[in-house]
Amino acid sequence: MSQIVSRILRLGLVIISGIVLTGIVPISVAQFRTGDACPSIGFIPACYLVTICYAAIGVAAAMWRKPNDWLFFAGAAPVIGLALAGTTAEIVGLPTCPRSATGWPLCYTSLMVGTGIAVTYMVIRRLELQVA
């Protein structure tokens, strides 16, 4: 039973990662075209990094025959870290995050989604270890 729940949750993570990618890829494309769609960390635009990290999360979540924890956390840690830094900057009055059409800072959404994905992944791994 827990194996079925684990696979359903993994499928959910893959779908959520795909949905997030459909939102972040256009921002990355806009950054490539105009150069001002997202803030940079050094010389790397943050949206490029977040795109790569969400893709890594999706790939790691899809690997249920051979779980790849290092790939998952290599994607999740920067996403959560950048979202936390951006959220903190927004709260203290330094607008740094790209905005949605309604003006909502997207780092808030990324922090919620990234944290939710990480917690869900930890639940999945716990379920999988109970089966083994």
Side-chain angles (χ1 to χ4, degrees):
M1 179 68 169
S2 62
Q3 187 176 17
I4 294 169
V5 172
S6 170
R7 289 199 178 173
I8 290 169
L9 289 173
R10 278 187 178 274
L11 180 60
L13 290 183
V14 171
I15 291 169
I16 290 169
S17 295
I19 291 169
V20 169
L21 284 170
T22 63
I24 191 70
V25 167
I27 296 171
S28 294
V29 170
Q31 174 67 25
F32 182 75
R33 289 185 181 154
T34 66
D36 63 354
C38 64
S40 291
I41 302 165
F43 62 91
I44 301 172
C47 50
Y48 294 175
L49 183 60
V50 171
T51 300
I52 291 166
C53 289
Y54 272 112
I57 289 169
V59 169
M63 299 173 78
W64 47 64
R65 293 210 184 266
K66 186 176 180 189
N68 204 330
D69 294 339
W70 71 265
L71 180 61
F72 179 85
F73 288 110
V79 163
I80 294 170
L82 287 171
L84 187 59
T87 298
T88 302
E90 290 284 337
I91 289 171
V92 299
L94 301 170
T96 57
C97 301
R99 308 259 178 202
S100 69
T102 61
W104 176 263
L106 293 176
C107 53
Y108 294 176
T109 304
S110 190
L111 181 60
M112 290 184 289
V113 171
T115 303
I117 285 174
V119 169
T120 302
Y121 189 81
M122 287 187 269
V123 168
I124 289 167
R125 293 299 289 140
R126 186 175 176 111
L127 288 171
E128 290 171 347
L129 291 174
Q130 287 176 354
V131 172

